[in-house]
Amino acid sequence: MAVARVGLVVHEGRPEALAAARVVRDWCDTHDVRCTDIDVWRAGEPRHRAKEELDAAGDPDLIVTLGGDGTFLRGARLAAENDALVLGVDLGRVGFLTEVPVQDVGLALDAVHEDRVTAERRMLLAMRASCPLEVPEDMEALMRYGRGPLLPPPCVRPECKTGGGWGIALDATALNDVVLEKLTRDHQVSVGVYVAGRLLASYSADALMVATPTGSTAYSFAAGGPVISPRAEALVFTPVAPHMAFNRSVVAAPDEPIALRLLERSGLAAVSLDGQLRGVLRPGEWIGVYAAPRPLRAVRLGPTDFYGRLRERMRLTDAPAAAADGEAAPLWPLSTPAPPDLEHLSLPPVQADAYPLL
């Protein structure tokens, strides 16, 4: 695709990200492409809704993120608003989302501009709620932790000011997860969890989350949830420190919504999307989480070796007894074409880190 407008999301606290941003701006100047910094945290100013950011940037068709997975999530929030492509430049340590080493950012922009890339579809989560979400005035000071201002609560979509028993549709998406969690250490949340319209169980827990396959390697993984290929489509429900015997994750089909209703005996609960506090629920209120009708489109420059990255980034080690067998050979040879009965399968590239930039 010929890039006309670039939105740039930068991790301002990392010198290498600032240096890479200069490379992106120089590339845009050379190719007569408008480049605008977006989601900038200015002192004393609130953060803006995705539509406001994109309108100010001239509706960019490519979002470039310079940082780790957290920065990529910031860019994904914006790209999801107008179906822009998002290109993640890797400056993180344990990231699964970013694609391009920082030294190759100029080559990656060339590849996008010359349409030598593919758009990988990543499932997003959307939300309905029993009422508009709000953040109490005193919450911002408690939740900052040096991370910058909070995002505003998601607004109600214009076409759905009232939703009756179906709730109201919120203008919010999540790439990783939607989390309902307790606000104080001494009081767990009590939540009725519904899957595909039926009550699964009522939980008392520190938190309950609904994750995408992309988010299965984030908070859900830390809470004991399963690792799911990002190419899959599913909703993963995982309780965090539940006070009950059934503490397993539940993997639902993409067309099976998951609803979380705060029970009357519960305290207040925070609603977070991709790690960002977006509102507070009171007893009796609920949120419904479901697959968004439109996925995120992430730039990929070649085949993605997700399982190789999983082994590397999570530093997986082999059992001592298995390691005694020596270095493991590939199950199938990757240096020759696949036989007919395997041609339909997705197998890793011959070189896991190779991508066709040149």
Side-chain angles (χ1 to χ4, degrees):
M1 57 173 282
V3 178
R5 297 169 300 280
V6 168
L8 190 56
V9 182
V10 183
H11 190 308
E12 299 283 349
R14 305 194 62 172
E16 60 268 42
L18 298 176
R22 290 192 290 270
V23 173
V24 175
R25 296 188 191 102
D26 290 344
W27 184 94
C28 289
D29 288 342
T30 301
H31 292 80
D32 195 25
V33 171
R34 174 177 174 175
C35 181
T36 306
D37 285 69
I38 50 180
D39 198 22
V40 177
W41 300 348
R42 295 186 175 89
E45 293 185 13
R47 292 175 72 182
H48 302 289
R49 303 185 192 279
K51 188 176 187 311
E52 295 171 337
E53 292 275 6
L54 295 175
D55 287 346
D59 200 25
D61 45 31
L62 176 67
I63 306 291
V64 178
T65 72
L66 304 172
D69 279 1
T71 309
F72 186 91
L73 290 171
R74 290 167 55 196
R77 174 182 74 94
L78 302 168
E81 179 72 20
N82 70 338
D83 198 30
L85 280 173
V86 58
L87 171 66
V89 178
D90 186 14
L91 291 161
R93 293 179 292 275
V94 194
F96 283 88
L97 301 175
T98 49
E99 164 78 354
V100 179
V102 64
Q103 65 270 18
D104 290 337
V105 61
L107 295 174
L109 289 169
D110 287 339
V112 176
H113 197 56
E114 296 164 9
D115 204 18
R116 293 187 283 111
V117 300
T118 58
E120 181 181 74
R121 296 161 62 90
R122 291 289 184 105
M123 178 181 169
L124 293 167
L125 298 176
M127 286 180 58
R128 281 181 173 255
S130 56
C131 59
L133 294 182
E134 297 179 350
V135 177
E137 292 183 1
D138 55 351
M139 285 291 293
E140 174 125 9
L142 295 174
M143 300 298 294
R144 286 190 62 145
Y145 300 123
R147 298 170 57 190
L150 296 178
L151 286 167
C155 59
V156 178
R157 293 212 307 262
E159 73 275 14
C160 188
K161 291 293 185 183
T162 58
W166 293 96
I168 54 177
L170 300 179
D171 188 15
T173 56
L175 175 61
N176 269 357
D177 48 46
V178 175
V179 179
L180 190 63
E181 56 192 324
K182 67 181 185 180
L183 285 176
T184 60
R185 182 179 179 184
D186 63 346
H187 205 309
Q188 290 192 313
V189 290
S190 297
V191 180
V193 177
Y194 299 76
V195 180
R198 298 293 185 185
L199 177 66
L200 174 68
S202 295
Y203 288 78
S204 179
D206 284 358
L208 303 107
M209 79 182 77
V210 181
T212 63
T214 297
S216 71
T217 53
Y219 188 15
S220 179
F221 176 84
V227 174
I228 298 179
S229 167
R231 299 178 59 211
E233 291 192 353
L235 277 72
V236 185
F237 163 71
T238 300
V240 180
H243 275 212
M244 59 189 297
F246 184 72
N247 61 356
R248 306 299 188 195
S249 297
V250 174
V251 181
D255 59 353
E256 295 176 333
I258 297 177
L260 309 174
R261 182 171 68 88
L262 205 59
L263 302 180
E264 295 298 337
R265 295 181 180 179
S266 179
L268 300 179
V271 180
S272 299
L273 282 74
D274 287 343
Q276 298 287 325
L277 175 70
R278 304 300 299 276
V280 172
L281 285 191
R282 294 166 177 80
E285 297 174 347
W286 57 264
I287 57 173
V289 183
Y290 54 96
R294 192 172 64 190
L296 181 75
R297 298 190 302 134
V299 172
R300 288 293 175 255
L301 306 173
T304 300
D305 184 12
F306 170 72
Y307 299 103
R309 180 173 293 188
L310 177 68
R311 180 179 174 88
E312 173 192 351
R313 295 296 171 95
M314 294 298 184
R315 298 181 181 178
L316 301 185
T317 57
D318 302 316
D325 290 339
E327 185 176 351
L331 180 61
W332 290 303
L334 303 178
S335 57
T336 57
D341 64 317
L342 299 180
E343 287 178 346
H344 64 291
L345 300 181
S346 176
L347 294 172
V350 176
Q351 278 187 276
D353 59 349
Y355 44 79
L357 283 176
L358 300 177

